[in-house]
Amino acid sequence: MAVNKKIYYIAGAALLILLLMKGNKALAAVTKNQKIRDCDPFGCGNFGASRGSRKHQGIDLVVSPGQDIFSPITGKVTRIAYPYASDLSYKGLEIVNEQYRVKIFYINPTVAIPSVVTAGQKIAEAQNIAAKYGSTMTNHVHFEVRNALNQVIDPTNLF
């Protein structure tokens, strides 16, 4: 009888730990599928992938043009960003809170500065980045995260 009771306590503790770990993710999903872009002729979508003389400072999440994009954090929209100085048709957002500064590019924002957004709230729709580079580029949104010290961090395992 005492052995069965111990097994139940151990199983219960293990379940509680799993539930706490699952619910303790730092970021909410940016897209429904949350798939990192594989390699295509224009590069790879993983954090740290080569970009010529530099490294990719975010991850690229596969999307379809027009797909809903969600805020990964609760925070304030601090700016509309433009990844290409020569082409202002492509946009991004920066959202900031006490822990993180996140940027999402290749989107049509549906929120404005200085909106306060909540994690999981729709904030944009995905743009068609393949229209700029050609059909061999996988459509994606670029997502990067910095900590409170403004250091780039790998968001891959924060979801």
Side-chain angles (χ1 to χ4, degrees):
M1 184 85 154
V3 172
N4 284 343
K5 207 172 192 181
K6 276 186 182 177
I7 290 172
Y8 286 125
Y9 284 132
I10 292 169
L15 181 60
L16 181 60
I17 289 168
L18 283 173
L19 289 172
L20 289 172
M21 286 173 52
K22 184 176 174 119
N24 197 21
K25 295 294 184 177
L27 304 177
V30 174
T31 65
K32 282 193 178 184
N33 56 350
Q34 217 48 27
K35 180 184 181 316
I36 295 177
R37 172 181 150 219
D38 290 328
C39 298
D40 61 31
F42 293 92
C44 303
N46 59 294
F47 184 84
S50 176
R51 292 291 186 269
S53 62
R54 62 182 182 85
K55 298 288 184 190
H56 193 220
Q57 294 191 333
I59 57 175
D60 294 338
L61 299 169
V62 176
V63 295
S64 298
Q67 181 177 336
D68 290 344
I69 305 299
F70 306 98
S71 181
I73 62 173
T74 296
K76 186 176 183 178
V77 176
T78 56
R79 73 181 184 125
I80 304 295
Y82 298 91
Y84 307 110
S86 62
D87 185 351
L88 301 182
S89 65
Y90 291 93
K91 298 178 183 93
L93 278 179
E94 179 179 74
I95 304 169
V96 178
N97 67 18
E98 305 80 32
Q99 286 185 288
Y100 300 109
R101 175 179 305 271
V102 300
K103 293 179 186 174
I104 307 169
F105 292 115
Y106 315 134
I107 59 172
N108 286 316
T110 57
V111 294
I113 301 167
S115 300
V116 173
V117 295
T118 58
Q121 176 183 337
K122 179 182 173 181
I123 57 168
E125 294 176 355
Q127 291 182 298
N128 184 356
I129 193 64
K132 182 173 183 66
Y133 290 99
S135 63
T136 57
M137 174 174 268
T138 304
N139 264 305
H140 65 275
V141 294
H142 171 81
F143 175 65
E144 64 184 58
V145 180
R146 293 179 180 268
N147 63 18
L149 300 174
N150 206 32
Q151 299 164 322
V152 175
I153 57 175
D154 181 355
T156 304
N157 296 315
L158 296 179
F159 296 102

